[in-house]
Amino acid sequence: MKKSLRKAVIAGNWKMNKNRAETKTLISELKPLVKNADCEVIVCVPFTDLETALDAVKGSKIKVGAQNCHFAPSGAFTGEVSADMLKELGVKYVIIGHSERRQYFGETDITVNKRLTAALAQGLKVILCVGELLEQRELGITGEICSMQTKIALTGVDAADLKNIIIAYEPVWAIGTGKTATAEQADEACGIIRSTVASLYGKKAANALTIQYGGSMNPKNAAELLSKENVDGGLIGGASLKAPDFSAIVAAASL
Ligand code: PGA
């Protein structure tokens, strides 16, 4: 089974942007623009916008995700939100292990694994982010880093749960910098991640897995990146904040 049989998934990661009124506006602008999309379309919004977004997407194919969740169902974890709480809201997706969480909020491979398994246990679909730092790429260890992050994140995950996981390859040096990995670099790293998954769960499971590229994807470079065998979609930051840009990437993934 190859790319042609995998559904492309384009997910917006709004990060810490948009208040509720802006959320309503952006989603109402997006709705007509993505109504003929032949790929999955997800917007991952701040916690405070989740309810607004869930309401705003009604009647469209846009799905709503959160950007993180804690591994405990409840308890003394000030400032955190649990997978159970997301589920109760009606959220279907959650990003786990974004490099900004790893860089600025002390997220480790171990906590990524704990958060991912908690999310799966609540029936959420996870967008798991992995990717190397610039120094690591320069050292020639991109493959090892992506492989290690993938293996640790998936520790204890059953093969049956893989269908609820999307992996996003996000080279940290390309995020929010305007520097995009070349389509070849993205394809190579996504291929390594797929081989890692194959070594853990077998080829068939790995071939069915959606692997996205993320890092300054935009309407200009999306088509080339998405044309690559191992790149099945995109996790989009900056360009997801403007309806015309995000919908252009959705269109590129729908070809
Ligand atoms: P960017 O962000 O598209 O702004 O580089 C991508 C991401 O962080 O997921």
Side-chain angles (χ1 to χ4, degrees):
M1 181 158 66
K2 287 280 150 41
K3 184 181 175 85
S4 52
L5 297 175
R6 295 190 285 268
K7 186 104 177 149
V9 180
I10 299 296
N13 173 11
W14 290 9
K15 309 193 179 186
M16 198 173 70
N17 292 293
K18 308 287 179 192
N19 60 26
R20 286 182 297 171
E22 291 163 341
T23 297
K24 259 193 181 165
T25 305
L26 178 50
I27 290 176
S28 67
E29 286 168 2
L30 268 179
K31 271 167 120 169
L33 297 175
V34 302
K35 76 171 190 302
N36 296 319
D38 188 20
C39 65
E40 202 154 319
V41 182
I42 307 166
V43 290
C44 297
V45 307
F47 290 130
T48 48
D49 292 331
L50 283 168
E51 254 192 308
T52 306
L54 284 162
D55 193 50
V57 298
K58 280 184 186 150
S60 78
K61 53 172 70 173
I62 305 171
K63 310 260 171 41
V64 175
Q67 300 170 10
N68 187 25
C69 71
H70 196 263
F71 38 83
S74 61
F77 299 102
T78 303
E80 291 284 323
V81 169
S82 72
D84 305 50
M85 291 166 174
L86 295 179
K87 184 186 174 189
E88 195 248 347
L89 269 186
V91 171
K92 296 282 185 277
Y93 287 85
V94 61
I95 297 173
I96 300 284
H98 190 278
S99 66
E100 284 151 17
R101 301 291 319 165
R102 296 179 191 252
Q103 263 184 305
Y104 307 131
F105 302 101
E107 200 81 64
T108 66
D109 288 326
I110 304 294
T111 57
V112 167
N113 171 250
K114 289 171 81 170
R115 290 179 196 259
L116 177 139
T117 45
L120 291 175
Q122 287 308 317
L124 299 178
K125 290 183 192 283
V126 170
I127 301 176
L128 163 67
C129 301
V130 301
E132 82 287 0
L133 304 169
L134 182 58
E135 303 87 291
Q136 293 166 332
R137 174 160 285 273
E138 287 171 350
L139 279 171
I141 56 171
T142 295
E144 284 95 327
I145 295 293
C146 292
S147 187
M148 180 191 71
Q149 290 181 353
T150 302
K151 278 188 181 166
I152 300 176
L154 295 180
T155 302
V157 172
D158 289 341
D161 265 331
L162 266 196
K163 63 176 185 315
N164 294 322
I165 298 177
I166 293 166
I167 299 182
Y169 165 60
E170 296 212 309
V172 180
W173 48 272
I175 295 177
T177 56
K179 269 193 214 160
T180 316
T182 63
E184 289 68 30
Q185 287 171 326
D187 192 39
E188 187 187 10
C190 291
I192 291 168
I193 293 165
R194 198 177 304 286
S195 305
T196 303
V197 173
S199 74
L200 298 170
Y201 297 97
K203 261 197 158 155
K204 197 169 166 223
N207 280 337
L209 180 75
T210 293
I211 302 182
Q212 300 172 316
Y213 167 78
S216 301
M217 194 187 263
N218 61 45
K220 286 205 179 82
N221 60 28
E224 197 192 348
L225 286 158
L226 293 166
S227 73
K228 292 293 174 188
E229 175 60 32
N230 280 299
V231 181
D232 307 315
L235 182 57
I236 326 293
S240 72
L241 298 174
K242 291 191 185 126
D245 288 359
F246 188 62
S247 60
I249 298 171
V250 168
S254 302
L255 293 176

